[in-house]
Amino acid sequence: MTRKNLFKILLVQMFVIFVAIAPTQAAKKIRVVTSLPDLADIAKQIGGDKVDVFAIAKGYQDPHFVDAKPSYMIKLKKADLFVQVGLDLEIGWVPPLLEGARNKKILWGGDGFVDASKSMALLQVPRGDPSKLRAKGDIHIFGNPHYWLDPLNGKIIAQNIFEGLIKIAPENETYFKQNLEAFEQKINDADQRWQALMAPYRGTEIYAYHNSWPYFEQHFGFKIAGFIEPKPGISPSPKYMAKVINEMKNKNIRIIIIEPYYPPKSAELVAKNTGAVLVELAPEVGGQPGVDDYFKLFDTNINKLIEAFKKVGVEPKPLSN
């Protein structure tokens, strides 16, 4: 046998081995499906190269309303782990998707089900008769569900995903733990930078279109004085908008924040009559160009807010030592 033929035989054997091994390695990846892209990005950071992650909703979509497409059921049917925000945020579309997928291991109570809200300190938990809460608009009876907009809550989400992953693949616990600790440290480091940027503007009052931002507001210290919507999910009437315009003028509030999926017409009209600037923030990963991961979500939103503060002449407050 010539050296040339021997080389050809070796190449063929290597190809056969590669083809035999490659699907096996791919099959070993944990298939993770999440409701929102923020959860997907954190799952990628904890699962690393052991996971294959898919997010159902896109960052520019209203997470309250997502089409329950059959293709999502196929993804869920094959999933090893499902992660949701919970607190009824996805109540209109996740339950029918899970039911249609017929995958018992990712149903509530299964080893492959993760509710990312576990152990979360919730804000705006309503009190009173739940049957009467609908009169107040789209109220979430378990509390405001937009908790991922506090970066420290990102660490709780990561912990919950970590606990889900080690149920599915306990042999990788050390690897997932290292990724979890690296993520937590990265959050701590980034948050110091974010807090330093926002500190001079603590207490500054702004308006928001919808009540999506209480965790972001609390963590970074500005104040949302009111909303363009009179109640969550209810469009403003001309009378209500006149009231908002008067209040913003009286308090010299000159910034309105809005999500990309809400119609801007009402907010634009208020801004025009008050001299305010309308700032579109990213409520989720993928909600703005360049917001490709959980850290860029905060980088982008904080930079946009500071740019708006400067544009309308909000003076940064001196910081005490």
Side-chain angles (χ1 to χ4, degrees):
M1 182 180 296
T2 65
R3 293 180 64 179
K4 186 175 180 181
N5 286 337
L6 180 60
F7 182 69
K8 286 181 178 178
I9 291 171
L10 286 173
L11 278 178
V12 170
Q13 289 176 336
M14 289 173 66
F15 176 75
V16 170
I17 292 170
F18 175 78
V19 169
I21 290 176
T24 305
Q25 289 178 333
K28 285 182 179 176
K29 285 204 172 189
I30 302 168
R31 287 168 293 200
V32 181
V33 176
T34 70
S35 59
L36 299 196
D38 308 80
L39 307 179
D41 183 63
I42 295 174
K44 288 176 189 172
Q45 300 200 44
I46 308 306
D49 60 8
K50 308 293 184 187
V51 297
D52 181 18
V53 183
F54 175 79
I56 295 174
K58 306 298 181 265
Y60 51 80
Q61 290 180 299
D62 185 342
H64 302 85
F65 307 101
V66 175
D67 289 339
K69 298 179 181 177
S71 59
Y72 300 151
M73 294 179 191
I74 295 172
K75 288 281 187 184
L76 287 165
K77 186 173 184 62
K78 297 177 181 177
D80 301 301
L81 196 73
F82 172 67
V83 188
Q84 69 170 18
V85 169
L87 308 175
D88 282 354
L89 177 73
E90 312 104 324
I91 193 170
W93 51 280
V94 160
L97 284 175
L98 290 178
E99 184 178 348
R102 299 182 180 179
N103 180 352
K104 289 183 179 178
K105 63 185 175 185
I106 61 167
L107 294 179
W108 189 89
D111 284 348
F113 179 87
V114 174
D115 187 329
S117 71
K118 190 182 78 170
S119 304
M120 203 67 67
L122 299 174
L123 300 178
Q124 300 177 349
V125 180
R127 297 181 178 179
D129 184 351
S131 65
K132 298 179 180 177
L133 292 176
R134 286 297 302 171
K136 299 180 180 179
D138 289 337
I139 297 292
H140 294 278
I141 62 171
F142 302 110
N144 192 297
H146 301 271
Y147 54 78
W148 66 89
L149 288 167
D150 178 338
L152 299 188
N153 287 345
K155 296 196 294 185
I156 299 174
I157 296 170
Q159 176 67 33
N160 288 331
I161 291 174
F162 164 75
E163 292 174 6
L165 286 172
I166 61 174
K167 285 182 183 176
I168 302 299
E171 69 276 13
N172 294 322
E173 179 171 354
T174 301
Y175 174 77
F176 296 144
K177 186 68 174 177
Q178 288 172 346
N179 289 347
L180 174 64
E181 290 173 351
F183 177 80
E184 291 172 338
Q185 186 59 53
K186 193 175 175 183
I187 284 283
N188 291 340
D189 293 343
D191 192 45
Q192 286 188 7
R193 175 166 48 84
W194 294 328
Q195 291 286 358
L197 288 169
M198 288 294 288
Y201 301 100
R202 285 187 175 276
T204 301
E205 291 191 318
I206 69 173
Y207 249 69
Y209 183 87
H210 180 80
N211 189 12
S212 301
W213 308 94
Y215 298 91
F216 190 69
E217 171 193 15
Q218 175 180 268
H219 187 72
F220 292 111
F222 61 94
K223 183 178 179 183
I224 295 177
F227 302 96
I228 303 300
E229 290 181 329
K231 297 176 182 177
I234 306 297
S235 298
S237 65
K239 182 179 178 182
Y240 178 79
M241 287 175 62
K243 178 183 173 186
V244 168
I245 289 168
N246 284 334
E247 179 173 294
M248 288 183 65
K249 283 182 175 177
N250 290 337
K251 292 185 175 181
N252 195 29
I253 296 172
R254 298 183 61 198
I255 294 174
I256 304 169
I257 59 175
I258 189 169
E259 299 82 344
Y261 38 77
Y262 288 122
K265 188 174 179 181
S266 301
E268 287 174 345
L269 185 61
V270 173
K272 182 180 178 181
N273 284 276
T274 57
V277 296
L278 181 60
V279 184
E280 187 177 281
L281 298 184
E284 299 152 36
V285 171
Q288 290 278 308
V291 182
D292 302 324
D293 62 38
Y294 192 62
F295 293 89
K296 290 178 182 173
L297 175 71
F298 295 101
D299 284 335
T300 299
N301 286 341
I302 288 170
N303 287 335
K304 280 194 158 193
L305 269 182
I306 290 175
E307 184 180 333
F309 290 147
K310 291 178 179 177
K311 186 172 183 178
V312 301
V314 175
E315 291 290 334
K317 299 178 182 67
L319 302 177
S320 57
N321 294 325

